[in-house]
Amino acid sequence: APAGQSTQMVIGATPETDFQILYLSRFFYRQYHLKRVYYSGYVPISNDNRLPAIGTPVPMIRENRLYQADWLMRFYHFKVEEIVDAENPLLDTQLDPKLSWALRNIHVFPVDINKADYLLIIRVPGIGIQSARKIVEARKFSRLNMHHLVKLGIAVNRAKYFVIASEAPAKDYQPMQIKQFILAEGNSKYKKNFSAQLNMF
């Protein structure tokens, strides 16, 4: 089809891991040149015993993580084996796949935003494709610092653990420390937003 074709995979009706699912998605993209693969958690719609029975519903977060991993494969040049593998076949439900990869590969960081290649910059948590392009363009005119990253709209609360700019170098945190910092910041932001919504009533 001129506009491209897509397919949908139902997740959780059978015991395939995220690694197997993403491996199949890669096959679809490469061999059939599909435009999109969609992921939907399995929900039994009747008591028909021919349908698979599951003990607990597929959590929405699993769908979300698969979409994030799919995005990394299609636009960020990640290989399936970098996101999940046979030894670690399930996506982390606490962390998005990009952050999870960064913490497992902490030796790659910190990245110098004034010197690093574009393909490395897009692997930094908190920096998207458009932001990475802005960084590459902006640094042609002056050395960038954290203030510049904020003005470029980058999620500095994440990126700050993985980059160095023109000022002080990044602090040498361990992966578990970074994980706890980011999770704590996320919980704090959620509580603040929830409290703000309650105050509206």
Side-chain angles (χ1 to χ4, degrees):
Q5 294 176 294
S6 63
T7 191
Q8 183 178 37
M9 285 197 277
V10 177
I11 309 304
T14 50
E16 285 83 8
T17 64
D18 296 333
F19 174 61
Q20 292 170 309
I21 291 166
L22 291 172
Y23 200 89
L24 182 58
S25 295
R26 183 178 69 176
F27 175 79
F28 285 148
Y29 286 128
R30 288 184 175 179
Q31 298 300 120
Y32 293 99
H33 307 291
L34 294 188
K35 191 172 184 66
R36 283 296 302 273
V37 175
Y38 293 92
Y39 309 92
S40 294
Y42 173 66
V43 179
I45 58 173
S46 74
N47 294 324
D48 191 330
N49 59 16
R50 291 173 297 178
L51 294 173
I54 57 174
T56 57
V58 178
M60 184 72 72
I61 190 64
R62 188 180 182 195
E63 287 182 33
N64 188 37
R65 293 291 183 244
L66 284 167
Y67 276 113
Q68 290 172 329
D70 184 281
W71 198 262
L72 292 182
M73 291 192 302
R74 290 191 295 134
F75 299 110
Y76 288 76
H77 306 282
F78 276 78
K79 299 176 182 177
V80 175
E81 295 80 5
E82 292 181 291
I83 303 171
V84 282
D85 55 34
E87 293 183 3
N88 301 283
L90 300 176
L91 293 164
D92 192 327
T93 57
Q94 287 188 303
L95 306 174
D96 66 79
K98 190 178 181 183
L99 178 56
S100 182
W101 173 84
L103 293 178
R104 293 195 311 272
N105 294 272
I106 201 68
H107 61 278
V108 175
F109 303 99
V111 169
D112 188 337
I113 60 169
N114 287 293
K115 298 178 181 179
D117 180 82
Y118 165 80
L119 291 177
L120 181 55
I121 293 175
I122 62 174
R123 287 183 171 236
V124 175
I127 299 181
I129 291 175
Q130 294 300 324
S131 298
R133 289 173 180 165
K134 290 179 182 178
I135 288 172
V136 173
E137 283 300 309
R139 70 188 186 186
K140 293 178 182 178
F141 305 99
S142 65
R143 287 185 59 79
L144 304 181
N145 56 38
M146 287 297 181
H147 178 68
H148 292 129
L149 296 187
V150 173
K151 292 183 69 174
L152 290 173
I154 289 164
V156 175
N157 61 321
R158 287 188 171 218
K160 65 184 178 184
Y161 300 108
F162 303 97
V163 299
I164 54 175
S166 60
E167 63 267 42
K171 293 183 179 180
D172 187 20
Y173 291 118
Q174 294 300 308
M176 187 55 66
Q177 289 177 297
I178 297 173
K179 177 179 179 179
Q180 293 305 321
F181 291 152
I182 292 176
L183 290 177
E185 288 174 2
N187 289 336
S188 176
K189 185 181 296 184
Y190 171 79
K191 290 177 181 177
K192 182 183 292 185
N193 290 339
F194 184 68
S195 297
Q197 290 176 1
L198 287 178
N199 290 333
M200 293 174 62
F201 296 97

